[in-house]
Amino acid sequence: MAKIFKLKVNTPDGISIQEDIASINLKTSIGELGILAEHEPIIGALIPSTISIQSADGNKVNAIINGGLFKMDGKVLNIITDFFQLTNKLNESVIDRRKEQIEKALANKDLSGNKTFKNIQRRLQQELEQLEKVKK
């Protein structure tokens, strides 16, 4: 039996998921990263993407994440993000609601000259494209 560790995902709405898992594959700002139990401590940035999770009982599930931060201490993987949704629980209303949030942020002209805002717009556009793929 594979060793397990705790996955805890925090969103503005509270704890989105907290359960034991065997592994997770994340897309970070510097590439892909697979994490197993007892992984060396690490902190990093996540990009908008689909992540793959293997539960403690061996089932695999994907989730959509809007980037964020992660911290692994060897026993618990904490993820902080503003959007996390397991794809098996994903429905069109969730996708449409997130698309509306992204489009509203992309349309904000008050900060359009700001370099940081341009980077955020680029990342949101990438997430919007990812959502379009999932919806098909």
Side-chain angles (χ1 to χ4, degrees):
M1 184 171 162
K3 292 183 180 180
I4 59 171
F5 61 100
K6 181 75 69 184
L7 170 63
K8 184 175 177 183
V9 179
N10 298 282
T11 68
D13 296 328
I15 296 174
S16 179
I17 186 173
Q18 183 172 340
E19 54 184 70
D20 292 333
I21 64 171
S23 68
I24 188 168
N25 291 313
L26 305 170
K27 292 185 180 162
T28 74
S29 58
I30 58 171
E32 291 192 35
L33 175 67
I35 296 180
L36 301 170
E38 300 177 7
H39 191 287
E40 288 294 316
I42 186 171
I43 297 174
L46 299 168
I47 62 172
S49 60
T50 301
I51 62 175
S52 176
I53 303 166
Q54 183 174 353
S55 65
D57 60 8
N59 292 324
K60 291 186 180 180
V61 66
N62 291 325
I64 295 176
I65 189 166
N66 183 37
L69 301 171
F70 73 93
K71 175 187 171 197
M72 174 62 169
D73 66 9
K75 296 179 181 178
V76 178
L77 173 63
N78 283 290
I79 295 177
I80 300 171
T81 183
D82 66 348
F83 182 81
F84 178 90
Q85 183 68 51
L86 294 171
T87 56
N88 64 338
K89 295 182 181 178
L90 196 61
N91 60 43
E92 287 200 25
S93 66
V94 171
I95 292 173
D96 291 340
R97 188 174 71 238
R98 184 61 186 157
K99 281 178 61 178
E100 285 176 22
Q101 292 172 338
I102 292 170
E103 288 166 352
K104 183 178 177 182
L106 289 172
N108 187 338
K109 302 296 181 199
D110 295 337
L111 301 171
S112 61
N114 184 306
K115 183 178 179 181
T116 301
F117 183 71
K118 286 187 184 286
N119 287 335
I120 292 169
Q121 280 184 314
R122 181 181 47 79
R123 290 179 63 192
L124 287 172
Q125 186 64 45
Q126 289 171 343
E127 182 190 351
L128 187 58
E129 291 167 6
Q130 188 79 15
L131 287 173
E132 289 295 334
K133 288 178 187 175
V134 169
K135 194 170 179 179
K136 290 180 181 179

